[in-house]
Structures are given as structure tokens and as C-alpha cells.
Amino acid sequence: MDLSVVVPTLNGRDALAASLDALAAHAPAAEVVVANGPSVDGTSGMARTHDAVDVLLELSERNLNAARNAGIAAATGDAVAFVGQDTCVRRAWLDAVRDALADGADAVTGPVHRNVEGGVTTEAEERCEVAGREVVFFDGGNVAFSRDALDALDGFDEYLQTGAARDAAHRLAGMGCEVAWQPDACVLREEADDIAHRLPEDSEDSAWGLKYRSLAYRLVKNYGMGARIAARVVRHALGDALSVGGDVARGDAKLSEWAAAGRAVVPNIWRGSQDGMSARVADRSDRRNPNGVSSRMDRAMARYDK
């Protein structure tokens, strides 16, 4: 199996260097494609000289999923993995990925360890049933796909600024693909500041607004407008409202912050639902991705090969 590893990055030079060092140590034969957004911190120069990097793509867009999709288009492996700029693969990661894909899985994921004060925390397997469909979720900074499965997905949905990995999990489930959970396919996330959580500096969107627009969009796009989907969105919103309300009661948050979050949620649920239905109509196939790799062949970028 020839493995390509795509690493999207944006202004993360030091964290990226550690991620590339880990790939050089634990997956030395893998093709490494770095998809760099418009970084201004010297990321480009570091990536061009790092021994692990085979291809550097320079992108004009500040969009995580545009970077992922550009990496997919450039990767040549018959399996493609994604790691974050702030995640370091561990010693057993490569064997775990290869074994799962060789056994017939369409995608494979594993835990993400995080350094915390006093030790390390980790994520457990997350799966749930949505509208009769069993979905296995994965972190976009630790997942690998067979080329056939990734081509069937047409990559990630570039409409989404957050939640695109969860959207891909829904779409894999809809196509009947198997996502394997491998405890040994683990990575260490060194920093909390991940590219997926960064907003453009001129963005008028709040984190709450983006969260609920993304949630409504991916659920409506994948399952349609229905009572069960509406109830699922409402349960999420009520749970967050109670959680933030508790923070206000304890003095950990301001009442104005709670009110602002509430004002952001409702219009973004509506907007996400409308956009999700439009996307569902635009792509009626099982892949449900009108904003994928094949729709963005006009992406402006420079490419550097070693």
C-alpha cells in the first residue's frame, strides 16, 4: 500500500515542524503533501526545506477544507491520510492504518491524545445512530481513507468552515462504507490552537453561529428536513443553552455572552438548514457533496515538488 499524508496548515510553523518530524520518524516512506494557506510566519520556507515534505502547495484561501481537497488532488497514494498541523503520529500509527485498510476498511481512525496539566487525556470511539444510520465519527486530524472511498466522497465539503470531518462521517455511512476504529492509530495533539478552529480575521461569524450553521447544514444535507433531524438540532441547542446558563450562574460567563450566543444560534440554524437543502438538491447522489474536489479545479496555487 502506497500511503500519502496530507497536512493542511496555516500560520503554524513550529507545530507543523513537530508534526513533520513525527512523520519522518514513524512513516518515512509515506508521500507527505503540505497544503499551506496564506501563512505569514515562515511556514513556507520551513516546509520547503523539511526532509519529510514531498509536495508543498501554496493556497490563496484561508479554508481548511480547500487545503484538504487540494492535498487530495495532489496526492498519488492508493491510500490518503490526514493529520493536523498540530498532531504528531505515534510509533504504531502506520501499522494500524495499513492493517485496517488491508482488512477491507474504507477508512480508519483512532484516538487523539492531548497533553494536559498532570498528564495526557484521550478520546474514545464515538459512534451514534442518526435516522437509522450508524455513523462512526473521526477527527479530521487523524483519519486515513482508501483512495476508492475518498474518490467516492469527492473529498470534503468546502461550504463548511467547521464540522467537515463529521459531515464526511455521515456521508461514508450513507454510502455503506466501513470506518474502522484502531486504538493503535493514535496521534498526540500538542496544541489546542488548531487550524480548524480559526476564523478569518474579518469574519463576522461567531463560534456559536458557525457551530449551528454547520450542524443544521450537514444534517439537512444528509438526511433531509424531518422531525427527527429538527429534534436533534433542538436537543443540541438546549444542551448548550443549559451548559452556558450554568456557567453564568457560577460566574464563569457573562449574561451578555449567553444572550449573544442565543441570538447567533437561531438565524444560523435557519441559514444552515436552507443551505443544506440546496446542497441536497444540488447533489442527489449518496456522496452529498456539491462542494468537493471535482467542483474546485480553478483553485489558484503554486506547487513545489522535491
Side-chain angles (χ1 to χ4, degrees):
M1 180 187 74
D2 294 326
L3 177 68
S4 296
V5 181
V6 175
V7 190
T9 188
L10 176 65
N11 292 328
R13 180 186 59 188
D14 294 340
L16 175 64
S19 180
L20 295 174
D21 289 345
L23 287 168
H26 304 309
E31 175 189 53
V32 176
V33 179
V34 174
N36 181 36
S39 296
V40 294
D41 66 344
T43 292
S44 297
M46 185 279 295
R48 289 184 70 174
T49 59
H50 199 289
D51 290 340
V53 179
D54 297 288
V55 179
L56 171 63
L57 306 175
E58 295 286 2
L59 309 182
S60 61
E61 296 177 79
R62 192 184 179 101
N63 182 309
L64 171 63
N65 297 303
R68 286 170 170 163
N69 285 347
I72 292 169
T76 62
D78 50 18
V80 181
F82 297 85
V83 300
Q85 68 176 11
D86 58 354
T87 55
C88 297
V89 300
R90 312 304 283 169
R91 184 181 301 276
W93 177 85
L94 180 60
D95 287 340
V97 166
R98 283 178 168 166
D99 290 347
L101 295 178
D103 286 343
D106 298 289
V108 55
T109 188
V112 177
H113 300 307
R114 289 179 172 84
N115 282 324
V116 296
E117 186 176 354
V120 173
T121 186
T122 189
E123 295 176 349
E125 180 182 12
E126 183 185 0
R127 64 173 67 220
C128 69
E129 184 175 308
V130 183
R133 181 187 302 176
E134 185 176 47
V135 183
V136 179
F137 293 108
F138 47 82
D139 189 306
N142 184 26
V143 63
F145 302 86
S146 70
R147 173 61 75 169
D148 287 344
L150 195 55
D151 288 346
L153 278 175
D154 199 25
F156 294 86
D157 189 332
E158 294 183 24
Y159 169 91
L160 291 163
Q161 293 187 51
T162 185
R166 298 183 78 85
D167 173 67
H170 286 291
R171 295 190 288 117
L172 282 171
M175 293 188 294
C177 294
E178 178 191 354
V179 179
W181 172 268
Q182 285 282 359
D184 287 338
C186 64
V187 300
L188 175 66
R189 177 158 287 153
E190 298 284 1
E191 300 180 0
D193 183 23
D194 184 70
I195 184 176
H197 302 118
R198 299 185 185 183
L199 300 179
E201 293 175 358
D202 60 351
S203 174
E204 298 180 356
D205 294 309
S206 69
W208 285 107
L210 283 178
K211 174 180 178 178
Y212 278 93
R213 190 192 312 165
S214 168
L215 176 65
Y217 173 85
R218 64 180 184 260
L219 288 177
V220 170
K221 181 185 71 165
N222 284 292
Y223 303 97
M225 290 272 198
R228 286 185 295 180
I229 297 306
R232 192 174 187 88
V233 174
V234 170
R235 284 199 303 271
H236 276 279
L238 290 176
D240 281 335
L242 290 173
S243 177
V244 178
D247 290 340
V248 172
R250 291 188 296 271
D252 297 331
K254 296 179 180 179
L255 184 60
S256 60
E257 295 174 355
W258 190 26
R263 288 195 300 271
V265 167
V266 174
N268 277 286
I269 288 176
W270 174 253
R271 178 178 171 184
S273 298
Q274 295 298 108
D275 290 347
M277 184 55 68
S278 295
R280 186 174 177 84
V281 171
D283 187 350
R284 298 176 184 270
S285 70
D286 289 339
R287 76 183 184 186
R288 300 291 182 191
N289 189 8
N291 308 294
V293 175
S294 63
S295 68
R296 293 299 311 275
M297 300 309 293
D298 61 339
R299 184 178 292 106
M301 63 182 182
R303 171 174 175 149
Y304 303 95
D305 295 89
K306 289 187 179 179

